[in-house]
Amino acid sequence: MTLKEMKSKVFRLIEEISPENPALTDDPDLAAKFNDVANQVLFELSRMKKLARYVELPVKKGDIITFADIESACGYEVYQLRLARGVSLDARADGTVLKCLEDGILELDLYVYPERITDKTRDTAYEFELSPDALEIMPYGIAADLLKSDVSAGGGAVYAARYESMLGRLDPRYRMPAVTIEGGLEL
């Protein structure tokens, strides 16, 4: 789904759609704050439905690896290191700094934030990386935040309640655990 498609969904939801307008709405306040609000909701959802990435870094004994080093290698803003292996390490600063104890390839499993949405983000070029179930929740979170100061819309309370309800049912897993039994089973 592109940013433009998300804008269309949200503006249809809150009955502010104007398809002939390039901004998709005639309300300049909604148009002006849409990208900032969308980015906030996007980051919240990406912490719930995590975006996992795998990175390999060639390292030398004594190298100090920070999140900034990992971010430059993978192109994403890292918020949590899940697993590091491949070389012996000494983790510091709650796992945000790694000291390499040998030469080799450092293998990292981590969670990242998606690409940020800014005022310069092109509507048709930006593709959301969230899973389809998270993307279906997102319009309600955006609508709630866009309308929170709008007295005539009840402060977006209806959308906020719906968003929180859907968020509570969002399954953070990407796959279900499985058990394989080989050789049969005697009862």
Side-chain angles (χ1 to χ4, degrees):
M1 176 182 297
T2 66
L3 180 57
K4 183 174 184 170
E5 291 168 329
M6 180 61 71
K7 284 182 179 183
S8 178
K9 273 186 113 151
V10 171
F11 291 141
R12 268 188 269 127
L13 180 67
I14 63 175
E15 298 177 359
E16 289 287 344
I17 189 77
S18 181
E20 61 283 342
N21 187 322
L24 297 178
T25 183
D26 292 329
D27 187 321
D29 292 333
L30 294 178
K33 61 185 178 179
F34 190 96
N35 284 11
D36 287 336
V37 169
N39 192 70
Q40 291 167 0
V41 175
L42 173 65
F43 273 46
E44 177 180 34
L45 286 169
S46 72
R47 286 187 302 274
M48 299 285 294
K49 194 77 171 197
K50 298 177 187 280
L51 297 175
R53 293 294 181 269
Y54 172 77
V55 176
E56 291 182 352
L57 293 173
V59 295
K60 300 277 186 214
K61 181 179 180 178
D63 282 354
I64 303 293
I65 307 297
T66 66
F67 274 20
D69 299 320
I70 300 166
E71 289 169 352
S72 66
C74 73
Y76 286 92
E77 187 177 342
V78 176
Y79 72 87
Q80 184 181 356
L81 179 61
R82 193 175 68 81
L83 181 65
R85 63 189 175 285
V87 298
S88 298
L89 297 169
D90 186 15
R92 300 293 171 109
D94 201 22
T96 62
V97 176
L98 306 172
K99 181 176 182 181
C100 300
L101 302 176
E102 61 185 339
D103 294 352
I105 301 293
L106 177 59
E107 300 176 34
L108 302 167
D109 288 310
L110 43 102
Y111 295 120
V112 299
Y113 286 117
E115 181 183 344
R116 286 184 178 275
I117 299 171
T118 68
D119 290 336
K120 292 180 174 57
T121 303
R122 290 187 18 238
D123 290 355
T124 55
Y126 188 92
E127 285 278 342
F128 287 99
E129 298 178 73
L130 292 178
S131 60
D133 57 342
L135 286 174
E136 289 304 313
I137 294 170
M138 194 172 179
Y140 291 92
I142 295 170
D145 276 3
L146 285 175
L147 299 176
K148 67 183 169 196
S149 62
D150 187 342
V151 178
S152 66
V158 170
Y159 302 111
R162 178 77 171 134
Y163 176 67
E164 289 299 324
S165 170
M166 295 169 83
L167 195 59
R169 292 190 307 269
L170 183 65
D171 189 350
R173 298 173 296 182
Y174 274 98
R175 56 191 163 99
M176 298 294 287
V179 175
T180 303
I181 300 173
E182 294 181 16
L185 179 65
E186 284 188 39
L187 297 175

